[in-house]
Amino acid sequence: MDLNANGMIIAMLHAAILSCVLLLKDKIKIDLFNFFTCSFSIILSISIFTWILFLIGISLPNYSIDFNNGNYYYYNYYFFLLNYADIDLPIPRFSSIFLEPGHLGMITSFLLYANQFDFKRKEVWILFVATLLTFSLAAYVLLLLSVLILAFFKSKRPMLNLLLLLAFLFAFYSYFSILDNGDNVVNNLILERLQVNDGEVSGNNRSSAELDIYFEQFINSTNAFFGIGPTKYTDLFSGIGTGNAGYKVFISTYGLIGTTLLFILYIAITSYNPSKLSIMLLIIYIFSFLQRAYALWDVELLIFITALPALSLNSNNKTYVK
């Protein structure tokens, strides 16, 4: 409601494009989903290749960039971005062409689940490697949740798969927690952020103290119904509380009614291609929403809309030639 004329036009264009995709036949949606998977893996393969060249010490052309008034400082290597904050890490976090590793990890996690970790395809391997290189806790959690879901719904021996997965996780945790006395990138960026202090998980840092204080007041006010809008939210937290990305941001911006409408939209899309795997994809999206409330981001909606018919087709044991 607080957008200017240009913002309203852009919003309507987004809605029109997404509506056109929604109205496509399932076969075309599946073709689009496969196109998204393949084209994204091509982009990542180039990015990973140049990233490896960088890691082994080959000098690559780059320049410094200050994005969004100091929110992000990067070296732009054209095929990937390197955050200033990650320079001193033994292995910097990989974000490809995205602003944050978590953005990349979120997208690859969705694509990996929707492709059901079909490692017979090289595209899936590229997506998997890219996810691991992000060292993103949120991406790793989504990855683990996806594996658990598929282990139960795609296997005749779900309990055995669960035991094997738990054994792997225990071995993974034990190895990296003692490697170099815990001074390694996996332990520092992933395992230590899973520790619980005063009832809070260390890695649960998607909202700042400023937003937490504001949200407590907001949720008990009349603004809670419709939110304060993106412009006012940006004005309130411009320069402070950077790093806010969780569900509190979305609710503060669009209100409880806007959030309810969002869930109705996703449930309605899911109901058009109902299956166990489709419902589980919705659950994965909900978990992602808690950490990164980007559910209106085009990439999330496009993956969701085009992946559902592919998952439904697989669940019903039908065949489709790619």
Side-chain angles (χ1 to χ4, degrees):
M1 292 182 291
D2 64 349
L3 294 176
N4 57 27
N6 287 337
M8 292 295 292
I9 292 173
I10 292 173
M12 288 188 288
L13 285 173
H14 282 185
I17 293 170
L18 290 168
S19 297
C20 289
V21 177
L22 269 171
L23 294 172
L24 291 173
K25 293 181 179 179
D26 282 354
K27 182 180 182 301
I28 300 177
K29 289 179 184 177
I30 295 173
D31 286 336
L32 266 179
F33 174 71
N34 289 324
F35 170 76
F36 293 151
T37 300
C38 292
S39 58
F40 195 55
S41 66
I42 291 172
I43 294 172
L44 287 179
S45 63
I46 297 171
S47 190
I48 291 173
F49 174 73
T50 54
W51 178 252
I52 293 173
L53 294 179
F54 164 77
L55 290 180
I56 62 178
I58 295 178
S59 179
L60 299 174
N62 66 86
Y63 67 93
S64 299
I65 184 171
D66 173 359
F67 180 75
N68 200 18
N69 297 321
N71 261 3
Y72 298 95
Y73 290 100
Y74 283 100
Y75 289 117
N76 183 359
Y77 283 85
Y78 300 98
F79 296 109
F80 63 86
L81 296 171
L82 175 64
N83 195 318
Y84 279 22
D86 293 341
I87 292 175
D88 295 330
L89 293 175
I91 302 178
R93 300 174 67 194
F94 178 67
S95 61
S96 184
I97 57 177
F98 293 90
L99 290 175
E100 297 182 18
H103 295 172
L104 170 62
M106 177 183 65
I107 296 170
T108 53
S109 297
F110 294 153
L111 288 172
L112 282 168
Y113 172 82
N115 282 283
Q116 298 176 71
F117 293 89
D118 183 7
F119 287 115
K120 294 178 182 178
R121 301 174 59 194
K122 58 182 179 298
E123 298 94 340
V124 174
W125 274 108
I126 294 170
L127 295 171
F128 182 69
V129 170
T131 308
L132 295 182
L133 290 175
T134 64
F135 294 105
S136 166
L137 177 59
Y140 281 25
V141 170
L142 289 177
L143 203 66
L144 177 60
L145 178 62
S146 301
V147 171
L148 282 171
I149 290 172
L150 291 175
F152 269 86
F153 288 98
K154 296 289 290 182
S155 173
K156 297 179 180 179
R157 296 177 293 179
M159 294 309 299
L160 176 60
N161 288 339
L162 177 60
L163 291 174
L164 290 174
L165 182 59
L166 290 175
F168 169 78
L169 291 175
F170 177 76
F172 180 88
Y173 178 86
S174 300
Y175 176 76
F176 285 105
S177 61
I178 63 175
L179 180 65
D180 293 333
N181 294 319
D183 187 18
N184 60 81
V185 66
V186 174
N187 188 58
N188 293 335
L189 296 179
I190 303 297
L191 301 183
E192 286 188 354
R193 297 182 65 199
L194 292 172
Q195 296 179 4
V196 178
N197 298 313
D198 298 326
E200 288 286 334
V201 179
S202 300
N204 185 22
N205 59 352
R206 303 315 298 159
S207 63
S208 64
E210 291 84 0
L211 178 59
D212 291 338
I213 294 171
Y214 172 80
F215 189 78
E216 289 183 11
Q217 300 170 345
F218 163 84
I219 205 66
N220 294 310
S221 69
T222 55
N223 286 331
F225 292 104
F226 291 100
I228 60 176
T231 302
K232 188 174 181 180
Y233 175 85
T234 302
D235 292 341
L236 279 175
F237 292 96
S238 179
I240 63 170
T242 55
N244 295 326
Y247 68 95
K248 292 181 181 179
V249 175
F250 194 93
I251 296 176
S252 298
T253 305
Y254 300 106
L256 295 172
I257 292 177
T259 306
T260 302
L261 289 173
L262 174 74
F263 277 87
I264 291 174
L265 171 66
Y266 270 87
I267 292 171
I269 296 172
T270 306
S271 66
Y272 188 73
N273 293 107
S275 69
K276 290 180 180 179
L277 293 179
S278 299
I279 294 171
M280 291 301 107
L281 178 62
L282 177 61
I283 291 175
I284 292 172
Y285 264 65
I286 291 173
F287 270 89
S288 175
F289 179 83
L290 297 177
Q291 286 291 312
R292 295 185 182 277
Y294 299 161
L296 291 178
W297 193 14
D298 293 7
V299 64
E300 285 207 22
L301 278 164
L302 287 172
I303 291 174
F304 193 80
I305 293 169
T306 58
L308 287 181
L311 290 171
S312 180
L313 192 75
N314 191 279
S315 295
N316 296 324
N317 295 318
K318 296 179 181 178
T319 57
Y320 173 76
V321 178
K322 295 178 182 179

